[in-house]
Amino acid sequence: MRYKILGKTNLKVSELAFGAIQITRIDQKEAINLIRFAYDSGINLIDTASSYFNSEEILGKALKGIREKVYVISKSGKRDKKNFLQDFNTSLKRLKTDYIDFYLFHGISKNNEFDQIEEAGVIEALVKERDKGKVRFIGFSCHNPAVIEKFFKVKDFSILMIPLNFITTEYVEESLLYKFNQNKTGLLAMKPFGGGRLMDIEICFKFLRQYPQVIPVAGMQSIDELKQNLIYIGKDDNLTKTDHKRIKELSEELGTKFCRGCGYCMPCKEKGIEITDINFIEVYYKQFPHDVFWNIGLDKKVEVARKCIECGKCSEKCPFDLDVSEIIKKNIAFFDGLKKV
Ligand code: SF4
Ligand code: SF4
């Protein structure tokens, strides 16, 4: 395993981070073995969140005896001080630790979400926890490039998690990359395989290799998957002409259907459709434990989504010009297909 310095944190982290949402889908003993296998393979950076079901609890058990040798990222999506700190302390308890290496504001994807945590003193509260030694570095995860400017506003932020793959490239446009480099931002790439939609792992890693300052966070749920990722992350090759051609083909194929989950199209004032959840049904199915997938209220949301009148108002708000009602239809069909099995 090779290691890199993660921006201004100066921590030496493995060039592949383990995304721990999917370990909640497998048997707990198997999940613990998988984490230990990842650690033995040299991975020293693990990503979880307070909302990732029992992921933190599993990690608490899996990291027994090696906690100090691993860097843990966790997050809370709460926007008020009381609930955020409650999540933070629960994360500490579940992870069986007295400090967390990185704690992030989860999913800051709209400017007003940032304003909310700033005005409610939540950022200040997390800085205080950091000063007490309970967290080492802070920042946020984000699904909308338009919010990144807010990141640079806070001098205490050192780590940013963004979706990055060969379809989602808005975050690495020249001017933003320049700012990240100036700011020495520690960059973590979520969805390196587009939430399972970009099937060519080799090309995905080659694409990310162009950005040496970025650490991909790959969700994994089996040793085989991990081994496969280790093979490709360990290579040095760059994108070839054939890869560029393949990227072009895949981008054209997926470009008009690939929802990034930024939520800009919301709310649906016409019918109250939960567009992002509907658009992510297939991704949720691939990531969540199946018992959870069937219990997050999708049935009801799908029933509401069936009422879409295809007015196109959401598409007008989508920065990626997606045909949102088409994506909704496709996900409803996927959901209905699952019900028939
Ligand atoms: S197209 Fe459908 S989801 Fe979009 S705003 Fe209209 S009713 Fe809502
Ligand atoms: S449809 Fe467009 S605006 Fe809505 S969540 Fe997806 S990418 Fe964002």
Side-chain angles (χ1 to χ4, degrees), residues 31 67 85 90 120 123 155 164 181 184 211 213 232 255-256 258 270 274 278 294 300 305 314 333 338:
R67 169 65 191 94
L85 289 177
T90 307
I123 299 177
K155 70 171 179 17
L164 180 61
N181 290 338
K184 281 187 150 183
Y211 307 102
Q213 62 278 69
Y232 292 119
T256 53
F258 192 74
E270 313 304 310
E274 300 275 356
I278 296 296
W294 291 112
K300 273 192 192 152
C314 45
L338 292 176

Side-chain angles (χ1 to χ4, degrees), residues 268 270-271 273 275 308-314 328:
C268 157
E270 313 304 310
K271 295 287 170 187
I273 295 167
I275 302 171
C308 172
I309 50 167
E310 300 181 31
C311 65
K313 289 192 178 156
C314 45
I328 289 175

Side-chain angles (χ1 to χ4, degrees), residues 17-18 20 35 43-48 59 63 70-74:
F18 191 106
I35 295 294
I43 292 182
N44 71 353
L45 183 61
I46 302 182
D47 173 65
T48 183
L59 288 176
L63 299 181
V70 171
Y71 302 120
V72 177
I73 307 156
S74 193

Side-chain angles (χ1 to χ4, degrees), residues 258-265 275-276 279 317-320 322 324:
F258 192 74
C259 172
R260 279 78 167 168
C262 65
Y264 251 41
C265 52
I275 302 171
T276 44
N279 286 1
K317 290 185 273 177
C318 173
F320 307 101
L322 299 183
V324 184

Side-chain angles (χ1 to χ4, degrees), residues 73-222:
I73 307 156
S74 193
K75 334 177 187 72
S76 165
K78 301 287 161 46
R79 308 292 188 228
D80 66 288
K81 201 163 32 172
K82 185 169 164 258
N83 285 306
F84 184 89
L85 289 177
Q86 201 170 32
D87 266 5
F88 176 65
N89 286 312
T90 307
S91 294
L92 286 168
K93 234 183 256 165
R94 287 171 171 173
L95 288 161
K96 295 190 194 301
T97 184
D98 50 12
Y99 72 97
I100 297 175
D101 302 280
F102 307 97
Y103 209 74
L104 311 184
F105 296 96
H106 202 167
I108 300 292
S109 294
K110 289 184 181 160
N111 282 326
N112 67 355
E113 286 176 304
F114 177 87
D115 298 342
Q116 226 178 327
I117 56 166
E118 190 181 40
E119 281 156 25
V122 199
I123 299 177
E124 206 183 323
L126 189 59
V127 169
K128 276 191 190 151
E129 296 304 305
R130 186 199 61 192
D131 295 345
K132 284 188 238 161
K134 288 184 172 183
V135 56
R136 299 176 70 189
F137 301 100
I138 65 176
F140 65 70
S141 66
C142 172
H143 288 270
N144 179 3
V147 183
I148 304 291
E149 282 304 321
K150 299 280 189 183
F151 179 88
F152 300 116
K153 268 186 71 181
V154 183
K155 70 171 179 17
D156 294 287
F157 283 174
S158 50
I159 185 106
L160 179 70
M161 197 162 183
I162 47 170
L164 180 61
N165 51 60
F166 61 77
I167 302 264
T168 313
T169 56
E170 306 82 25
Y171 303 82
V172 285
E173 275 164 11
E174 218 172 302
S175 60
L176 261 186
L177 260 191
Y178 176 78
K179 282 189 186 169
F180 289 141
N181 290 338
Q182 290 292 101
N183 175 270
K184 281 187 150 183
T185 308
L187 284 175
L188 301 167
M190 61 175 134
K191 303 197 171 39
F193 315 133
R197 286 173 286 197
L198 311 175
M199 302 313 281
D200 197 325
I201 295 177
E202 187 173 10
I203 294 188
C204 288
F205 278 136
K206 276 193 203 174
F207 170 82
L208 289 170
R209 204 166 289 136
Q210 298 176 96
Y211 307 102
Q213 62 278 69
V214 170
I215 301 287
V217 181
M220 293 173 252
Q221 54 179 326
S222 73

